[in-house]
Amino acid sequence: MKKITIFIIIIVIGVIGFLVLNKVQNKNEENKYRYNDLTKVGYNDDEINYIYSKLDESNINILLRYSYQKELKNLLEHKDFKMNNLNNYLEMKDKITIDLDDIIYIVNDNSYKEDITYNEFVISMIKEEYYLKDRLDRYIDYHTKNTKKTVKEVIQNVNANLDYEFYTNTSSTDTSKGTLMIVNKYYKLDESYVPDDLVDVESKYGANKQMSKVAYEAFIELFNDAQKQGYNLYIASPYRSYQYQTTLYNNYVKSDGKKNADTYSARPGYSEHQTGLAADVMARGNSSLNEFENTKEFKWMKKNAYKYGFILRYPENKEYITGYIYEPWHYRYVGKEAAKTIYEKNLTYEEYYAYYVDKK
Ligand SMILES: [Zn+2]
């Protein structure tokens, strides 16, 4: 009997002891700074201990303004994380789904400010399809000077370098991009640049001139398919040397003035014709390029050129981007993949290049 009583007493003491200790421990956790609030938001004990090891009380208060942060550890241990910016990181994270890297970049860059309208502008830019992180400062500058432009226009115009005047901030184009190289009023070719694959254009396809082989072969395919359907095309002007462009441009300037000449003729080094990848096209029998727009051949080209890797390089209503008047006759070979995207998304080559070529 005695043994059993003692045994029961020991058990009872054990149970009471366990309960008391447990209660004390719970009490301790509850006493930790805002433990219950952190639990309510959804943090588990491991995460809470981690939070205590990283954040002081004022920063815990900041953390608790926001919903559960799944990526908290990645944020706090990011190489560019700054504790002073904690609230801005979290606020931005709350409003927009973008990479942590982008959030940290934007916040650290001071592009994220206390001004709500400003933040909303930055956030709406980031959501835009063609937003380029590296150009953020330029977007903001451009926006400041052009407050009536929409976010979409700001992105589009800066991507096309329109925040710079034509023929300013120019640089040599990266010819290693091959068929994707860009030549326009910001990117030029050296005087000595000659495509290394020039071939003669056969008389059945056009004028007795030269063109880059890759573009020429694509054109032959296009030409033959068009002909089978009853459309007769003619290459009027493909490759032009730097020297030839110099003569051409100077003559236009003499007869029409520099300002006008610049709208339709490129300055030497800035002509796409020097790449060998561009060609002015007509319908056979046309006596001038201007006649091409009203031919059935042009309608066919407009619909089909991209299937062979060509784009209408200077489209209507995009003059302010390309810097050239609408040229129904001027086609540029960029390859099938690029041409398809440009056609389907209705982009100029300037916009395509910034986002799809230069970025990579
Ligand atoms: Zn042309």
Side-chain angles (χ1 to χ4, degrees), residues 237 240 273 278-280 314 327 329-331:
S237 184
R240 286 181 211 149
H273 287 277
D280 294 339
Y314 306 119
E327 294 193 359
W329 57 84
H330 182 110
Y331 294 86

Side-chain angles (χ1 to χ4, degrees), residues 238-256:
Y239 169 69
R240 286 181 211 149
S241 68
Y242 185 96
Q243 290 70 25
Y244 182 72
Q245 187 67 29
T246 308
T247 312
L248 205 61
Y249 178 75
N250 288 343
N251 286 340
Y252 286 131
V253 171
K254 244 180 245 165
S255 64
D256 213 2

Side-chain angles (χ1 to χ4, degrees), residues 198-301:
L198 284 178
V199 290
D200 292 330
V201 172
E202 280 180 74
S203 59
K204 65 185 278 203
Y205 301 117
N208 179 25
K209 289 178 179 169
Q210 291 184 304
M211 193 166 173
S212 173
K213 191 172 180 231
V214 59
Y216 181 55
E217 282 174 353
F219 184 81
I220 291 172
E221 203 190 327
L222 175 154
F223 179 96
N224 290 334
D225 284 355
Q227 198 171 49
K228 274 179 219 153
Q229 297 165 48
Y231 304 99
N232 292 295
L233 293 158
Y234 183 85
I235 300 175
S237 184
Y239 169 69
R240 286 181 211 149
S241 68
Y242 185 96
Q243 290 70 25
Y244 182 72
Q245 187 67 29
T246 308
T247 312
L248 205 61
Y249 178 75
N250 288 343
N251 286 340
Y252 286 131
V253 171
K254 244 180 245 165
S255 64
D256 213 2
K258 196 170 176 136
K259 203 179 163 200
N260 284 337
D262 275 337
T263 66
Y264 58 83
S265 179
R267 295 182 188 175
Y270 297 88
S271 170
E272 224 182 25
H273 287 277
Q274 197 186 334
T275 65
L277 300 166
D280 294 339
V281 170
M282 306 195 289
R284 197 171 270 275
N286 283 167
S287 55
S288 80
L289 293 173
N290 288 323
E291 287 176 24
F292 186 56
E293 188 181 0
N294 296 316
T295 62
K296 60 185 191 330
E297 278 77 7
F298 170 61
K299 283 191 193 83
W300 188 89
M301 280 294 276

Side-chain angles (χ1 to χ4, degrees), residues 78 80 85 89 92 98-112 126 131-137:
H78 191 283
D80 297 322
N85 290 335
Y89 298 133
M92 191 155 187
I98 53 164
D99 291 352
L100 201 55
D101 282 346
D102 289 337
I103 290 176
I104 290 175
Y105 172 84
I106 289 161
V107 171
N108 288 1
D109 196 43
N110 279 327
S111 306
Y112 197 76
I126 294 163
Y131 168 79
L132 294 169
K133 193 156 82 174
D134 304 355
R135 301 201 185 196
L136 184 62
D137 290 345

